Every structure is written in structure tokens, then in C-alpha cells.
Amino acid sequence: MHLLMRPRKRAAQLPAEIEIEIISRLFAALPQILCIAAGLIVGSAIMAVQTGETIFWWLTGAGVVTTLARIANIVGFKRRNPARKLTLAEARRWEAGYAYTAFAFTLVIAALTLTAAAADHAEGFVLSLGLTMALTAGSYLRTLRYWICAVLSTIAIGTLVVAFLRSGDPLYQALSVLLLVYLYSIYESSDHIIGQFEELLMVRRELDFAASHDPLTGLVNRRGLDRVLGEAGESGEALGLLLLDLDGFKLINDRYGHHAGDDLLKQVAMRLKGVVRPGDSVARLGGDEFALIVRGVEDAVALSEVADRAVSVVKAPFMLMGQLVTVGASVGVSLRSGRDSAHWTAEMLTRAADQALYGAKRAGKGRSMVAHWDDVA
């Protein structure tokens, strides 16, 4: 019982997006669920016809009801709005729905086991044993949430062990010992499989982060920027792209060295993150080039204000190697209106912002400029 009741410390340390992904995988098991449900419902109905006992009809009905509840839970999850990302709290509510309908279904199998034991029905024992093995074997191989697998398996196998021990048949009693060993192996195997899968997702997340983020500043890189632009493009929302180049960075880098230049880039990144809202993005594209993505804004004046704030925060002095130094920034702004989303692509948005950036540099640097449709049409 220690393995069943112990806290899952590893799961508590998982990043929210990984826990959400693991929970989402619960809802891919509909074919297996239907196969086991068919065995329970058809088997109980056959036993009801053979024995003429009403209890087996009740078990058949309970199997139908709990199966429908499981199907409704899975279908409801699959039909939710795919454009809206799950929060961890929402994912855990869906998980609870999955777990409790699975437990209810398992209790029907347990009731079938006890009914067969009370009636000394050998065929019922065979049916309940087969359903229990199918349910638990599939659970520890497929259910990547330890608490669900452990509780479900304990209910099903524990009931079968009690029924076998009370049967008085030496063969059944011997089987009960093997079932206890099997239950322990489920705890161990489930814990091991889930642990390895969590580690795999963590490694994949780290590799994905490294591939899409700048190692110096921690901002998204060009690949990450393309991903953000692609996601925003698919949503059709209004989008503002600001491309920013530092003015005078090369002089600082040459005078104080690359270490000081790297420190300056980190400080610029921190200041730019303070310019945008939560949900917006800041990227470093390489060298002294940065980008800001402002989502849900289709007012060029509002975007110009964001660009001017970016110019202002970069213009303020930086402390490098015990000395105050200053650089400037030029910003090019492009806008994709939600009304015109069908006419704009990520490439066009970037090209327009790039042309506006060069326009700001030609106009004297240290300023922002907004691109117009005619610039890229």
C-alpha cells in the first residue's frame, strides 16, 4: 500500500505544460475502453440469460451507464475549443472526470466478481478474471497518471483476491497470491513507466527550449519568433511586429570588449521585456537585433507608443564595468489588422517592419517608423 498512497513528488515538480500534455493523453484510449466495456456488457447479459438472475441484468445496465459516462467525458474533452489552450486547473478537472468514471466502471467489474463468488458461478469468475486482467494491464501501460492506475488496479484486483480467498477452492486461493504479486508489479511498472515518460518529456522540452531561445538573453530566437508569428497568424488576430536595432552597439563592443557587449545585450533584453504586456513576446534575432510582438492591437498609434517606449528605455544609460554608457535604438513597426489578416503573411509583416526600420535609421536613428501597406504591396 506504500506505493499506492505515497505522494507523487515528481509529478508535483512537472512544468504545467507537461502535466497538461500527460493528462491529455488519457483521452486517447477510447478504442481500448470500448473493447473492455463490450466484454463486460455482453458477458453480463449472457450470464443473465443463462442464470435467469436479475442481478446480472443490473450489472449489464450499470456497465452501459458507466461506459456512456466515460464516452461522454472523452468526447467532451475532444470537442472543446482547440484554439483555447488548457490551463492546468482545467486539465485537472478533466482528469478528475476521467478518473471517477473509470473508477465507477471498475466498481461494476468488482460487483460482477462478488456476484459470481456469491453464486459460486465458475463462468462468472472466468469473466471477471479476464476483465480485470484486461483492464489493469491496459491501465498500467497506457494511463500515465499514477494515482488513477493504482486506485483502479487496487479496486479490481483487490476485489478478485478477496473473492478467491473466500471461495474455499485451493486453486483460486493460490491464484489470489499470484494476483497480489501482479498488483505489486503494476505499482512498480506504472511508477517506472510514468517516471521514464516524464523524463522524456522534460528532455524534449529542454531541447525545444534550446532550439527556440537565445542562450545569452533567454529571449526567443528567430525560430521562436517564426513560431509565435505562425501561431498568431493561424488565430487571425491583430498583430504588431516591432524590429529594433541598437545604435552605437559596435562602438561599445569594440571599446569595452565582448563580455561587456554581452552584458549590455542582457540588460537591453530585460528592459524590452518591461515594455510589452504579459502574452506579448520579445525576441533576439542575432547580434544587436531584437523584435517585439504585440498581440491583439490593430491601432498604429498604440504600436508607435510601444516603439517609442522601447527607444526611450534603451536610450537610458547602462552600467557596464563600473561606468555609465549609452546606446540608442531604431525601431520599425508593421501592423496586421484583424480585418486584413487574410492579406498578410509573416514574411510580409517582417519585410514591412524591416523596411520601416531602415527608414528610421535613414531619418537619423533613435526613433521609430511605422510601415504602410504600400511599402510591401
Side-chain angles (χ1 to χ4, degrees):
M1 291 300 292
H2 171 67
L3 281 170
L4 173 61
M5 301 305 295
R6 71 180 177 182
R8 295 286 293 152
K9 295 180 181 179
R10 183 176 58 242
Q13 298 171 351
L14 288 175
E17 60 269 25
I18 289 183
E19 188 171 350
I20 291 169
E21 180 177 348
I22 291 175
I23 291 173
S24 298
R25 288 173 179 263
L26 292 171
F27 298 87
L30 186 58
Q32 295 90 334
I33 289 172
L34 292 177
C35 288
I36 298 173
L40 171 62
I41 295 167
V42 174
S44 298
I46 291 174
M47 292 174 62
V49 172
Q50 289 179 343
T51 64
E53 296 181 18
T54 306
I55 184 63
F56 289 112
W57 285 119
W58 281 105
L59 291 172
T60 302
V64 171
V65 170
T66 53
T67 299
L68 290 176
R70 299 192 76 183
I71 293 172
N73 176 254
I74 292 173
V75 171
F77 179 84
K78 291 179 178 294
R79 288 187 175 179
R80 75 193 191 286
N81 183 4
R84 183 174 173 273
K85 291 186 177 180
L86 277 176
T87 65
L88 182 57
E90 290 170 338
R92 286 176 174 172
R93 284 196 294 269
W94 282 108
E95 176 189 30
Y98 178 93
Y100 296 132
T101 54
F103 296 160
F105 180 82
T106 305
L107 287 172
V108 178
I109 295 179
L112 173 64
T113 300
L114 296 176
T115 301
D120 195 20
H121 196 292
E123 291 84 353
F125 264 157
V126 172
L127 176 62
S128 60
L129 176 61
L131 290 172
T132 297
M133 298 300 287
L135 179 71
T136 55
S139 178
Y140 89 81
L141 290 172
R142 185 186 64 247
T143 303
L144 297 173
R145 297 295 275 175
Y146 182 85
W147 74 280
I148 297 177
C149 177
V151 172
L152 183 151
S153 299
T154 303
I155 293 172
I157 296 177
T159 304
L160 199 57
V161 167
V162 170
F164 280 7
L165 288 174
R166 291 175 58 87
S167 69
D169 187 316
L171 178 59
Y172 284 151
Q173 291 174 341
L175 282 174
S176 68
V177 176
L178 294 177
L179 285 172
L180 287 174
V181 173
Y182 173 60
L183 179 59
Y184 181 79
S185 73
I186 286 178
Y187 295 155
E188 287 289 341
S189 299
S190 175
D191 187 57
H192 178 72
I193 291 171
I194 293 171
Q196 289 209 323
F197 189 77
E198 289 175 355
E199 290 175 7
L200 176 64
L201 290 182
M202 289 291 290
V203 170
R204 190 185 73 179
R205 178 175 182 264
E206 291 169 1
L207 290 174
D208 185 64
F209 184 90
S212 59
H213 285 74
D214 173 47
L216 177 65
T217 62
L219 301 177
V220 295
N221 57 18
R222 190 176 295 275
R223 178 180 176 182
L225 176 68
D226 291 340
R227 178 184 299 177
V228 174
L229 288 174
E231 292 174 353
E234 291 175 0
S235 69
E237 66 180 322
L239 186 71
L241 174 63
L242 288 66
L243 295 183
L244 180 148
D245 268 5
L246 298 182
D247 301 324
F249 174 75
K250 187 176 184 303
L251 295 176
I252 299 294
N253 210 34
D254 291 344
R255 181 175 180 180
Y256 296 99
H258 293 295
H259 179 74
D262 288 347
D263 187 24
L264 176 60
L265 292 172
K266 292 177 185 178
Q267 293 187 50
V268 169
M270 289 297 297
R271 291 187 184 184
L272 292 179
K273 285 195 288 187
V275 170
V276 297
R277 309 160 302 173
D280 296 335
S281 302
V282 181
R284 181 185 174 218
L285 306 183
D288 60 350
E289 301 176 51
F290 294 84
L292 291 77
I293 299 177
V294 182
R295 306 181 73 154
V297 175
E298 51 185 335
D299 182 1
V301 174
L303 289 175
S304 293
E305 292 174 354
V306 175
D308 291 340
R309 287 201 302 272
V311 171
S312 178
V313 299
V314 173
K315 187 184 298 183
F318 293 89
M319 179 64 70
L320 286 181
M321 304 182 70
Q323 299 187 49
L324 289 176
V325 300
T326 57
V327 291
S330 300
V331 182
V333 182
S334 61
L335 167 66
R336 189 192 70 177
S337 167
R339 297 183 300 273
D340 298 326
S341 60
H343 303 294
W344 284 90
T345 64
E347 181 183 355
M348 294 172 66
L349 196 69
T350 304
R351 189 166 71 247
D354 196 50
Q355 292 182 8
L357 170 62
Y358 282 109
K361 285 183 173 294
R362 287 194 300 269
K365 302 183 178 180
R367 66 191 67 202
S368 66
M369 184 171 293
V370 179
H372 300 284
W373 173 262
D374 292 340
D375 296 334
V376 293

